[in-house]
């Protein structure tokens, strides 16, 4: 090849023959941003995006899986389920999610214009990029009205992504809530679009005293089994409810599937996104990289969730909030539209 560009183009054409949206070539800048995202900080607009699923209907464009709380997109009112129709006047109809992610990221202080379809309404939104720090965990203690001084308390933990801080941050939250003597936990994985596979496994080990977490399968069948002997468990017996939605993807589906199939938790919400594929990332000599789908995974009950997702045990009230303040309110106030009593929440 005469130029670097020609080389890149040849690699992209070669990969395109595999017809897999998750196998892709990453120029040096893109490769660097993939790395920095899993390490805990990104400069962008705070959006996690995905391809439309069957549930979205015929959505021409890319679907918002989640908007980072307090980030530019979240402040501008962009919601889960909104469709990004164009980025800076370039249609997203045939755009890959990684190309889109690269267009959304960029130097701090620069701006990007999105065309968003929210329900029937189409709107233009101009956003200024900023450093979005990715502390993946928020937690709080919810006191639930009960009899006398023994009123039960529930530990709520919201996990937003699986970067390299994830399992450590969940452990810290569990320890701190246990020191306040909680009786039960709620783990909120709504709009968690995944991240590092090993962090998903480590987080599952916190809750399980034994059992298979996930099977890794290739074209010949089961290749690897990830399981736990309970040595990392710090909350294996307290009642546990897990909240999921269609923004729950990849590593968070592995976690939700493991907790459901091992009968460790009750799942609430809607079917998850359905990304049952695993990529390995390889760095090339000039700092560019390849992400290649190398396997698919099955949950402990041997369910392949690709394109179907993990199916929850129960739905959540439509008006159920996504923040920790709102969550506590829904447990405390029987008159609120989102009320769920704690017996319902943890009953098999």
């Amino acid at each position: 090849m005469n130029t670097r560009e020609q080389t890149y183009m040849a690699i992209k054409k070669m990969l395109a023959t595999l017809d897999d949206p998750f196998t892709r070539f990453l120029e040096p800048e893109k490769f660097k941003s993939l790395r920095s995202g899993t390490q805990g900080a990104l400069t962008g607009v705070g959006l996690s995006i995905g391809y439309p699923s069957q549930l979205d209907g015929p959505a021409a464009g890319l679907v918002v899986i989640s908007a980072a709380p307090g980030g530019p997109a979240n402040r501008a009112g962009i919601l889960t389920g909104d469709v990004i129709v164009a980025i800076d006047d370039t249609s997203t109809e045939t755009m890959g999610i990684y190309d889109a992610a690269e267009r959304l990221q960029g130097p701090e202080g620069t701006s990007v214009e999105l065309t968003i379809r929210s329900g029937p309404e189409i709107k233009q939104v101009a956003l200024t990029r900023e450093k979005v720090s990715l502390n993946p965990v928020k937690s709080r203690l919810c006191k639930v009205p009960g009899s006398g001084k023994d009123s039960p308390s529930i530990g709520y933990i919201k996990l937003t992504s699986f970067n390299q801080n994830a399992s450590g941050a969940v452990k810290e939250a569990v320890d701190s809530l246990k020191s306040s003597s909680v009786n039960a936990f709620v783990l909120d994985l709504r709009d968690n679009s995944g991240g590092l596979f090993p962090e998903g496994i480590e987080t599952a080990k916190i809750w399980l005293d034994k059992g298979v977490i996930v099977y890794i399968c290739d074209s010949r069948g089961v290749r690897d089994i990830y399981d736990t002997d309970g040595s990392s468990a710090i909350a294996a017996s307290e009642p546990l409810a897990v909240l999921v939605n269609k923004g729950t993807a990849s590593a968070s589906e592995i976690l939700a599937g493991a907790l459901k199939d091992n009968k460790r938790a009750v799942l609430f919400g809607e079917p998850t996104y359905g990304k049952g594929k695993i990529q390995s990332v390889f760095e090339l000599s000039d700092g560019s990289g390849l992400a290649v789908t190398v396997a698919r995974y099955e949950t402990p009950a041997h369910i392949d969730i690709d394109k179907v997702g993990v199916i929850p045990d129960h739905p959540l009230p439509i008006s159920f909030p996504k923040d920790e303040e709102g969550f506590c309110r829904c447990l405390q106030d029987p008159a609120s539209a989102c009320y769920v009593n704690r017996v319902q929440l943890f009953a098999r």
Side-chain angles (χ1 to χ4, degrees):
M1 296 290 169
N2 297 323
T3 66
R4 194 48 51 95
E5 263 42 58
Q6 285 181 342
T7 310
Y8 287 175
M9 192 40 77
I11 296 173
K12 285 179 179 173
K13 283 186 169 155
M14 189 162 58
L15 295 181
T17 61
L18 296 171
D19 195 28
D20 167 28
F22 300 111
T23 292
R24 66 214 188 267
F25 172 73
L26 302 155
E27 285 88 353
E29 275 307 301
K30 286 188 189 176
F31 186 67
K32 213 169 102 195
S33 89
L34 178 79
R35 283 250 161 111
S36 68
T38 57
Q39 281 161 4
L42 275 178
T43 304
V45 295
L47 274 180
S48 175
I49 51 179
Y51 296 108
S53 66
Q54 285 91 336
L55 293 169
D56 294 308
L62 295 167
V63 176
V64 173
I65 292 178
S66 64
N74 171 265
R75 295 199 304 269
I78 294 174
L79 304 170
T80 295
D82 284 356
V83 177
I84 301 172
V85 181
I87 302 172
D88 281 335
D89 295 332
T90 305
S91 165
T92 59
E93 194 163 350
T94 56
M95 193 183 285
I97 50 177
Y98 300 99
D99 182 13
E102 189 203 28
R103 289 166 189 265
L104 293 171
Q105 288 160 25
E108 197 165 356
T110 56
S111 68
V112 58
E113 182 158 304
L114 305 186
T115 308
I116 301 282
R117 193 173 75 240
S118 190
E121 179 196 358
I122 297 233
K123 55 186 180 183
Q124 305 289 325
V125 185
L127 301 172
T128 303
R129 298 179 179 98
E130 60 187 54
K131 206 173 203 81
V132 181
S133 74
L134 309 170
N135 175 7
V137 168
K138 281 201 165 88
S139 66
R140 70 162 294 169
L141 182 73
C142 297
K143 284 270 183 226
V144 183
S147 45
K149 64 179 194 315
D150 298 327
S151 67
S153 50
I154 291 170
Y156 171 85
I157 298 174
K158 186 172 182 70
L159 178 60
T160 51
S161 75
F162 287 94
N163 61 24
Q164 64 188 25
N165 318 328
S167 62
V170 172
K171 268 201 182 87
E172 264 175 46
V174 169
D175 281 336
S176 134
L177 288 164
K178 282 186 80 156
S179 69
S180 309
S181 53
V182 295
N183 316 76
F185 287 98
V186 171
L187 178 62
D188 192 346
L189 298 177
R190 289 175 297 170
D191 301 327
N192 178 332
S193 57
L196 298 172
F197 172 82
E199 287 298 306
I201 300 296
E202 288 308 309
T203 306
K205 289 179 178 177
I206 293 171
W207 306 99
L208 289 168
D209 58 0
K210 62 174 190 308
V212 170
I213 296 168
V214 68
Y215 294 104
I216 307 299
C217 309
D218 58 18
S219 52
R220 293 187 293 278
V222 173
R223 189 183 82 188
D224 278 317
I225 300 174
Y226 286 83
D227 56 9
T228 181
D229 58 5
S231 56
S232 308
I234 56 173
S237 56
E238 292 84 352
L240 175 64
V242 176
L243 313 184
V244 296
N245 68 359
K246 65 179 178 210
T248 303
S250 198
S252 53
E253 293 178 287
I254 289 177
L255 175 57
L259 296 174
K260 180 186 179 187
D261 287 0
N262 281 292
K263 304 212 174 347
R264 172 65 190 92
V266 189
L267 263 60
F268 283 84
E270 57 192 10
T272 60
Y273 183 76
K275 179 180 182 277
K277 302 274 198 310
I278 293 171
Q279 287 72 42
S280 279
V281 179
F282 304 91
E283 184 166 9
L284 304 182
S285 57
D286 68 340
S288 61
L290 286 184
V292 183
T293 299
V294 290
R296 61 185 174 81
Y297 63 80
E298 290 178 357
T299 68
H302 285 293
I303 296 163
D304 177 356
I305 62 119
D306 200 52
K307 298 190 178 66
V308 228
V310 178
I311 310 300
D313 301 299
H314 309 287
L316 271 176
I318 299 294
S319 55
F320 207 80
K322 289 190 176 170
D323 62 291
E324 57 277 28
E325 299 294 328
F327 169 79
C328 287
R329 215 171 40 246
C330 293
L331 287 186
Q332 291 160 345
D333 177 11
S336 75
C338 61
Y339 180 65
V340 175
N341 74 41
R342 53 179 272 279
V343 177
Q344 266 173 304
L345 203 53
F346 302 107
R348 290 244 156 262

